[in-house]
Amino acid sequence: MDFRRPWKAAILDMDGVITRTASVHARAWKRMFDEFLAKRGDGESRQPPFDMDSDYRRYVDGKPRYDGVQSFLEARGIELPWGNPQDSTGTNSICGLGNRKNHIFQEVIKETGVDVFEDAVEQIDYWKANGVKVAVFSSSRNCRLVLEAANLIDKFDARVDGEDLKRRNLRGKPAPDMLVEAARELDADPADTIVLEDAISGVQAGRSGNFGMVVGVAREKGAEEDLRSAGAHCIVSDLREIRMTPFCPPGENCLLRPSSASDHATWIVECIGQRKPAMFLDYDGTLTPIVRRPEDATLGENMRSILVQWAQHANVAIVSGRDRQDVQSLVRLPQLCYAGSHGFDIRGPNGLQMQQEEAVSALPALDEAERNLREVVSAIDGARVERKKFAIAVHFREVSSENDIRQIETSVDQIVSRAQHLRKRSGKKIFELQPDVEWDKGHAILWLIKAMNVSDRANVVFYIGDDVTDEDAFRALRRQGRGVGIRVGSPDEDTLALFYLRNCDEVAAFLETLLRKFRESDSSHG
């Protein structure tokens, strides 16, 4: 399917995708099951309590209520009669327990109301504005109650919920019946329909129904692997990551895999049109090859010349994990802007500068963590601690023993757990401690776009990078719909970038090609 055009229809699960009710469901399930289990035995015969993470996702999430009760009880080796839907909330039957859970859930909704995911509301509005029909589906018989409480009932062209399961004789997830019924109500072919699900059973339903795209929505850390194993075509944490882009080449699906930037340079230039590029670039692994010792990563004269030429026609910024002063001294081009320490420290021409305020307050914690890390790491051959102003990097590229690498990571984790205001990030042969604030390369890019007066109408933003931390920038651009992300590395890598380049040589060739075509286009329109 051509990803440049919108899907004809989108079907979204309610709990956990649109509304923040998954946690309410989980608490209701836990309260009901824990009360039930506590009454069944004591001492050694007592069952462990319901786990709101693993038990919820494995046994009840996304399933019709009674099926969820049965699934969990079977996992615990507990047999109960099915009963009937009229069973009281105190009846020890599958239906009775399900009714008790529903009673608890409704109480909580009435007391606290319903929160929504703003990215879901934005994406639904975006789809509807672009002619895409949107349906909501849920195994819950409380679907209408929840949507009304969230003031979302009028957002959808169709709704298929728990009330329809019995009335229309539909099977619940992981069977595809509800999704197929929603697509039928939208008058949409499943092949032209995108499904968004946060539950394993819902992903399985989307795949078994042969829908064109099944997107796993990972709202919680650790959910990605389960959704991927269930068959999700791709995983997102924010629904705005799946917006359409005019830069996706014909016949390609940029949500599933990046395309070659080298092969599609002409297409990219055509998409730019009369707008001017704004070029943001990582340093290590992008402008220079990855080397064993970071101090040996010198910028080649050919690449420096390319940057000089780009700076004559566009805003150019280097966004690096290195200290700002370090990368600035390596590039030696004062006309560029530099964002160091993954964007915590920014400086550029005409007095442009910024240091992230919350990160400044974390400097004492970094100082203490540095002292502790040096004591531990100094004894491991090949390991090296590099202090940057706003980060501490522990390099293990030259560490040959896997046991030593595990020891390094264990030590880093222990220090982070004791430290306040710090977090651990991982990269290529590196662990890094950073201030634990909501800031990364993506935030830095968006700050620079505003500070450099880069506009949607007049400019197209490019970001080229090779590492895990560069995914933050790709994610920010995709969510904002503001430009082109290019990942340096294998085309098979999991990335949010639209395009890929295999290595630094291809980066240089692409920048030269794009610059030449940009000049030609500029000249022809002059």
Side-chain angles (χ1 to χ4, degrees):
M1 179 176 292
D2 188 347
F3 188 62
R4 292 173 300 149
R5 66 178 175 85
W7 300 91
K8 291 183 179 178
I11 305 175
L12 298 84
D13 181 34
M14 181 180 70
D15 298 314
V17 175
I18 301 171
T19 60
R20 295 179 182 270
T21 42
S23 61
V24 181
H25 279 292
R27 290 197 300 272
W29 280 113
K30 179 173 177 58
R31 179 174 159 187
M32 182 275 290
F33 276 129
D34 285 356
E35 289 174 353
F36 167 76
L37 294 172
K39 293 177 181 177
R40 283 185 58 83
D42 52 33
E44 293 183 0
S45 63
R46 177 170 293 179
Q47 291 260 7
F50 180 86
D51 188 288
M52 287 176 58
D53 180 23
S54 59
D55 286 338
Y56 178 73
R57 287 190 289 111
R58 290 179 183 175
Y59 305 120
V60 303
D61 187 19
K63 297 180 181 179
R65 191 185 321 130
Y66 300 147
D67 290 349
V69 174
Q70 184 180 42
S71 178
F72 175 76
L73 294 181
E74 287 179 349
R76 294 296 181 91
I78 299 173
E79 293 186 8
L80 285 182
W82 184 268
N84 65 76
Q86 286 72 46
D87 283 353
S88 71
T89 58
T91 303
N92 274 349
S93 66
I94 287 174
C95 291
L97 293 182
N99 293 343
R100 172 64 179 159
K101 181 266 173 183
N102 190 50
H103 177 73
I104 295 171
F105 177 80
Q106 290 180 346
E107 282 186 338
V108 176
I109 290 296
K110 290 176 182 177
E111 291 172 2
T112 64
V114 175
D115 291 331
V116 301
F117 290 101
E118 291 302 326
D119 63 296
V121 177
E122 287 184 27
Q123 185 64 19
I124 291 168
D125 289 342
Y126 170 84
W127 269 324
K128 291 178 74 71
N130 284 275
V132 180
K133 294 181 179 179
V134 181
V136 59
F137 83 115
S138 173
S139 297
S140 173
R141 298 179 71 175
N142 295 305
C143 182
R144 184 180 183 88
L145 171 70
V146 171
L147 292 175
E148 287 177 340
N151 199 30
L152 295 176
I153 193 68
D154 296 326
K155 287 280 186 184
F156 304 97
D157 300 298
R159 183 182 78 250
V160 177
D161 59 25
E163 294 290 348
D164 296 305
L165 283 172
K166 181 178 180 181
R167 185 169 63 250
R168 305 184 190 185
N169 195 29
L170 304 175
R171 295 173 297 169
K173 296 182 285 188
D177 298 26
M178 298 181 74
L179 287 168
V180 172
E181 184 72 2
R184 186 190 65 79
E185 289 200 9
L186 295 175
D187 193 25
D189 190 319
D192 292 330
T193 303
I194 183 171
V195 172
L196 292 95
E197 252 289 1
D198 71 315
I200 295 171
S201 60
V203 169
Q204 292 169 335
R207 289 306 302 263
S208 64
N210 296 315
F211 282 82
M213 178 78 70
V214 181
V215 178
V217 182
R219 297 293 192 187
E220 303 292 335
K221 289 184 178 179
E224 295 90 344
E225 191 54 43
D226 284 341
L227 293 171
R228 188 173 284 108
S229 297
H233 289 108
C234 65
I235 310 294
V236 301
S237 59
D238 186 301
L239 269 58
R240 292 167 295 191
E241 293 169 18
I242 57 178
R243 291 195 173 176
M244 314 307 168
T245 170
F247 288 94
C248 191
E252 300 285 339
N253 192 326
C254 297
L255 185 59
L256 291 183
R257 65 190 68 83
S259 302
S260 168
S262 297
D263 292 345
H264 295 99
T266 300
W267 169 260
I268 294 171
V269 172
E270 290 177 0
C271 291
I272 293 173
Q274 294 300 296
R275 291 173 291 174
K276 293 184 63 175
M279 190 64 66
F280 297 86
L281 304 147
D282 182 31
Y283 185 78
D284 295 279
T286 299
L287 299 180
T288 65
I290 295 292
V291 293
R292 296 186 68 86
R293 296 174 59 84
E295 58 268 30
D296 295 334
T298 57
L299 186 67
E301 288 306 313
N302 179 53
M303 186 66 81
R304 180 175 284 107
S305 174
I306 294 171
L307 294 178
V308 169
Q309 295 176 69
W310 263 106
Q312 294 171 359
H313 297 275
N315 289 311
V316 181
I318 310 299
V319 185
S320 173
R322 290 176 178 262
D323 253 352
R324 175 187 55 76
Q325 291 179 324
D326 180 20
V327 69
Q328 200 166 346
S329 67
L330 289 167
V331 177
R332 303 195 313 274
L333 294 174
Q335 61 269 49
L336 306 190
C337 183
Y338 297 89
S341 295
H342 304 288
F344 285 108
D345 185 11
I346 299 175
R347 185 164 296 185
N350 303 317
L352 180 66
Q353 59 180 330
M354 186 279 291
Q355 288 189 344
Q356 216 278 342
E357 292 183 6
E358 293 176 274
V360 172
S361 65
L363 290 176
L366 284 169
D367 293 338
E368 181 179 356
E370 180 190 5
R371 290 191 293 269
N372 295 333
L373 276 171
R374 290 193 184 279
E375 290 179 7
V376 174
V377 174
S378 61
I380 299 177
D381 187 36
R384 188 168 65 86
V385 174
E386 177 192 7
R387 175 59 195 272
K388 311 168 188 180
K389 183 168 184 177
F390 291 103
I392 307 165
V394 182
H395 299 271
F396 55 90
R397 185 172 295 278
E398 296 184 344
V399 177
S400 57
S401 167
E402 290 296 326
N403 287 333
D404 285 344
I405 294 175
R406 283 193 291 270
Q407 181 182 339
I408 292 171
E409 183 166 21
T410 299
S411 299
V412 169
D413 289 340
Q414 290 174 345
I415 289 171
V416 170
S417 67
R418 295 195 302 265
Q420 290 186 332
H421 313 303
L422 298 183
R423 68 187 180 196
K424 182 185 84 171
R425 298 293 299 269
S426 300
K428 292 183 177 178
K429 303 295 183 180
I430 187 176
F431 300 121
E432 190 162 82
L433 278 68
Q434 301 174 1
D436 189 16
V437 300
E438 192 176 349
W439 196 263
D440 50 36
K441 287 186 175 182
H443 287 86
I445 290 294
L446 297 181
W447 187 91
L448 281 165
I449 286 173
K450 184 176 181 179
M452 299 166 74
N453 295 317
V454 174
S455 72
D456 287 340
R457 179 173 298 179
N459 304 100
V460 173
V461 176
F462 285 80
Y463 185 86
I464 307 179
D466 75 303
D467 209 344
V468 175
T469 58
D470 296 306
E471 290 297 321
D472 296 322
F474 301 145
R475 181 177 294 107
L477 291 183
R478 189 184 280 273
R479 288 179 182 177
Q480 295 284 323
R482 297 206 63 166
V484 180
I486 302 176
R487 176 74 181 246
V488 183
S490 167
D492 299 324
E493 290 179 316
D494 193 12
T495 182
L496 285 168
L498 296 176
F499 296 94
Y500 73 88
L501 294 165
R502 294 182 182 276
N503 49 47
C504 296
D505 289 338
E506 283 202 5
V507 172
F510 173 76
L511 289 175
E512 287 184 309
T513 299
L514 195 65
L515 183 62
R516 182 177 66 254
K517 291 183 177 296
F518 173 63
R519 284 170 172 168
E520 292 172 356
S521 176
D522 200 34
S523 175
S524 66
H525 289 96

